[in-house]
Amino acid sequence: KWIKAYIKMGYEVYVFAGKADVVELIKHGVMRENIMIYETAELYNGVSGILNGFFNGEQEDLDEAEIKKQMAQAAEEIERELGDFIDEKGINHLVLENLSLPMQVPLAIASKEIIENKRIPSISHDHDFPVERERFKGGPKWLRDLILKTCPVRSDYVIHCAINPYALAILHSIPGIRR
């Protein structure tokens, strides 16, 4: 929806993603050279897969030190690749899509660093909050705290929007979110 709207308004759209339907993006008007499926996707998807497996009950325990190490490594790589992509393409604002999901922690960390360091105005389209899903309410305290601290991205350069009034109320209850 965002892509269609921006293209309709005459903007050139760039997509940076770990997974994306490239054919579908091109159908919507995104030029192939403006789509980057980042190289660290395997590392990122590995961390996301571990978290998803844990929240789905497929994995019983998480090694805190190891998962934090993997998250930091994935975030650093994503930050480097996203920063290079932004510089190469001359991107001057971002739309963050659904970085409120717990599996998005490395991308959220990287996005915040980029936004803060480059002072890039951004819109965060937030939905699927952890408090909305029973499966995200469990887990060790260190993981819940990390998710609550990281997702969605908080920054003076980010304005948040939500998909409906219910999600907006949840969003406004999160500390550090600009209204």
Side-chain angles (χ1 to χ4, degrees):
K1 294 176 187 176
W2 286 94
I3 290 171
K4 287 181 187 177
Y6 274 110
I7 289 173
K8 192 172 183 175
M9 291 187 298
Y11 288 94
E12 189 166 5
V13 172
Y14 301 89
V15 175
F16 180 88
K19 288 191 275 186
D21 185 339
V22 174
V23 172
E24 194 66 24
L25 290 169
I26 292 169
K27 276 189 209 174
H28 289 308
V30 179
M31 294 185 295
R32 175 61 187 109
E33 62 269 17
N34 290 352
I35 301 170
M36 180 180 181
I37 308 302
Y38 51 89
E39 293 175 14
T40 55
E42 187 174 325
L43 174 62
Y44 172 72
N45 289 332
V47 172
S48 295
I50 290 168
L51 292 174
N52 203 25
F54 176 75
F55 286 121
N56 285 334
E58 299 160 6
Q59 184 171 335
E60 290 187 21
D61 197 18
L62 294 175
D63 179 335
E64 179 179 356
E66 182 58 29
I67 194 71
K68 283 183 174 180
K69 177 183 163 191
Q70 288 181 28
M71 282 186 196
Q73 185 179 1
E76 284 175 21
E77 290 297 314
I78 293 167
E79 183 181 346
R80 180 187 53 76
E81 290 183 50
L82 178 56
D84 291 348
F85 185 66
I86 288 168
D87 292 343
E88 176 188 321
K89 301 294 185 179
I91 295 169
N92 58 18
H93 82 276
L94 299 175
V95 175
L96 310 174
E97 182 61 38
N98 207 16
L99 294 191
S100 46
L101 280 171
M103 286 75 70
Q104 302 283 29
V105 170
L107 183 56
I109 292 168
S111 297
K112 180 177 180 171
E113 287 299 312
I114 290 284
I115 290 165
E116 291 284 322
N117 291 335
K118 294 183 179 290
R119 298 178 175 163
I120 298 177
S122 303
I123 298 170
S124 184
H125 183 223
D126 303 310
H127 50 95
D128 296 324
F129 299 100
V131 296
E132 291 181 277
R133 309 249 176 133
E134 197 60 41
R135 71 185 185 123
F136 295 141
K137 293 179 183 175
K141 181 176 180 348
W142 68 265
L143 180 58
R144 289 192 318 269
D145 289 347
L146 179 64
I147 291 165
L148 290 173
K149 177 183 164 194
T150 310
C151 300
V153 174
R154 293 154 182 90
S155 168
D156 288 339
Y157 299 101
V158 177
I159 302 255
H160 294 267
C161 65
I163 61 172
N164 56 42
Y166 173 74
L168 189 61
I170 292 171
L171 185 62
H172 286 166
S173 73
I174 298 171
I177 297 293
R178 279 181 56 202
R179 289 186 179 205

